[in-house]
Amino acid sequence: MKKITVIVFILSFVLMACTDKKIRLTADQVKASLGEHGIVLPDKLSYKHSVFTERYNQILPEHYVIDEHQSISIYVYPSCEAVQEGYEDFTKKTAKMKLVPHTTFQVGNVLIFYVAKDEYIDIRVKDAAESLLVTK
């Protein structure tokens, strides 16, 4: 049980650092990057309740269900510091929960939760998040 928890936390720290503090992104830029990498988001937001759609540090995400195996939540914060506080809020509120496998990306002022079962993980999501590092 502890081994699974450790693995989930390790996975969740992928790109989890305050990158370039000058990067200020919008949800539209994140969605455009995903689209450029071939990730098709549905036109409508999902309002499915989960720990990945909760309010963290006063911000609600745009949440998209890609298919029955994948979803993406995009939190846009006013600053890099605020996104770190949002992630800390998430970890405090979910500390005692058994979370599904997920990957967390932080780029500038944006926090992204990507939820997918192992066999459905799409590397293009990581590529899209990394490409945002060059956006200014």
Side-chain angles (χ1 to χ4, degrees), residues 9-10 77 129:
F9 278 111
I10 290 171
Y77 290 92

Side-chain angles (χ1 to χ4, degrees), residues 17-129:
C18 194
T19 56
D20 187 339
K21 292 185 180 198
K22 295 178 183 168
I23 295 177
R24 293 289 178 262
L25 300 168
T26 66
D28 288 337
Q29 288 172 304
V30 174
K31 293 183 285 188
S33 181
L34 289 165
E36 289 166 7
H37 286 83
I39 304 296
V40 179
L41 295 177
D43 292 334
K44 293 185 178 182
L45 291 171
S46 170
Y47 295 101
K48 181 180 174 187
H49 178 75
S50 82
V51 297
F52 302 105
T53 61
E54 291 289 319
R55 181 182 308 268
Y56 296 112
N57 191 22
Q58 319 262 322
I59 301 294
L60 283 171
E62 288 189 17
H63 180 250
Y64 299 92
V65 175
I66 299 170
D67 58 35
E68 68 243 28
H69 306 289
Q70 303 176 78
S71 70
I72 293 178
S73 297
I74 304 167
Y75 289 80
V76 179
Y77 290 92
S79 68
C80 184
E81 292 77 18
V83 77
Q84 288 178 324
E85 292 169 10
Y87 184 72
E88 288 172 12
D89 191 20
F90 167 78
T91 57
K92 285 178 190 171
K93 290 179 179 175
T94 61
K96 294 184 180 184
M97 296 180 185
K98 184 177 178 182
L99 299 177
V100 297
H102 65 283
T103 306
T104 303
F105 302 97
Q106 179 187 342
V107 183
N109 62 311
V110 173
L111 180 64
I112 302 168
F113 291 120
Y114 173 56
V115 179
K117 296 178 182 176
D118 286 342
E119 61 271 20
Y120 297 100
I121 291 175
D122 192 334
I123 193 71
R124 298 176 299 173
V125 175
K126 178 181 173 280
D127 293 341

